[in-house]
Amino acid sequence: TLDNYAKLGNALDWRELELALYLLHLYGEAIKGKVQFVEKHNNEITAYTPLGEMMNQMIQCDVSSYSHPAITLNFFENISRYSQFFEIQPDCIPPVLGAFVDIRGLHNPNTTIRHRSWYLFHRFIKLLKLKMDKYVNTVLGSIQDLLIIQAVIEPSDISADSNPLTKDKAMESGFSEQIFLFETV
């Protein structure tokens, strides 16, 4: 399916692509013990395992650019779930960071995707922080507009008998998810 996406792009049915990404997630979950992405012989990488091949293909075919929100979310979920892949394939980090910091992830117009990607980005960076040195300035430049506190408490919601701290407007504005960006920085 990922090969078909590389050839057909958005002409491929989103359900088929979503199933492929979901099966990638399940495949890794079904593996007992430590998840392996490559096969080694004499401490040299000789080949990808099937899971490693699927991760590499998912990144290389740019599936995160697909126009359906379910595909974008599944992509980021898989990326953060299998972040160990990037320990052995650090050359795959730049395209993934690019997907995270642009309109596909942290700047997505869809609030659900945007807020979830803030958390998944936090997890991804936290797990790979030793590999992120070269990318810090670029990433910070790309997300600086998101580092403005967006908590909202509207004066019309406050009455003499109510406590403004119990109003949930801050949560509606995404402030609780935005905290993940601040922690990441």
Side-chain angles (χ1 to χ4, degrees):
T1 300
L2 294 173
D3 285 337
N4 285 342
Y5 175 71
K7 295 173 192 163
L8 300 173
N10 279 349
L12 188 66
D13 186 6
W14 71 270
R15 293 170 289 219
E16 191 175 332
L17 198 49
E18 181 185 31
L19 178 60
L21 295 177
Y22 182 66
L23 289 174
L24 170 60
H25 177 79
L26 289 180
Y27 183 75
E29 293 291 315
I31 296 173
K32 302 287 186 218
K34 186 177 179 191
V35 176
Q36 299 290 323
F37 297 100
V38 292
E39 295 173 6
K40 291 184 178 183
H41 181 66
N42 294 332
N43 216 19
E44 294 286 323
I45 296 173
T46 58
Y48 283 116
T49 64
L51 181 59
E53 183 62 40
M54 289 186 286
M55 281 294 294
N56 187 56
Q57 182 66 19
M58 180 183 72
I59 294 162
Q60 300 307 322
C61 77
D62 198 27
V63 72
S64 63
S65 295
Y66 196 87
S67 59
H68 197 279
I71 305 308
T72 307
L73 275 177
N74 278 312
F75 171 80
F76 289 126
E77 293 284 348
N78 282 336
I79 290 299
S80 64
R81 168 69 178 90
Y82 301 120
S83 60
Q84 319 90 290
F85 174 77
F86 300 95
E87 294 286 342
I88 53 173
Q89 282 302 118
D91 57 316
C92 289
I93 292 174
V96 169
L97 285 176
F100 262 121
V101 300
D102 68 14
I103 198 164
R104 294 171 281 180
L106 304 179
H107 288 93
N108 198 298
N110 182 315
T111 305
T112 304
I113 294 171
R114 183 174 59 244
H115 290 175
R116 182 69 179 156
S117 69
W118 290 354
Y119 167 71
L120 295 171
F121 178 69
H122 170 70
R123 269 187 60 195
F124 181 75
I125 297 295
K126 184 178 175 182
L127 293 170
L128 294 170
K129 63 184 166 193
L130 297 176
K131 301 259 185 220
M132 292 297 145
D133 289 348
K134 330 184 229 196
Y135 311 109
V136 170
N137 290 334
T138 305
V139 169
L140 287 176
S142 299
I143 67 170
Q144 68 185 10
D145 61 315
L146 300 173
L147 299 176
I148 300 166
I149 296 175
Q150 300 173 5
V152 177
I153 298 178
E154 297 192 21
S156 62
D157 291 342
I158 303 171
S159 67
D161 299 334
S162 70
N163 181 348
L165 297 177
T166 62
K167 296 294 180 184
D168 208 11
K169 289 291 182 189
M171 299 307 156
E172 290 175 16
S173 69
F175 180 70
S176 61
E177 290 87 0
Q178 190 182 24
I179 290 172
F180 291 116
L181 289 178
F182 291 110
E183 281 186 37
T184 303
V185 171

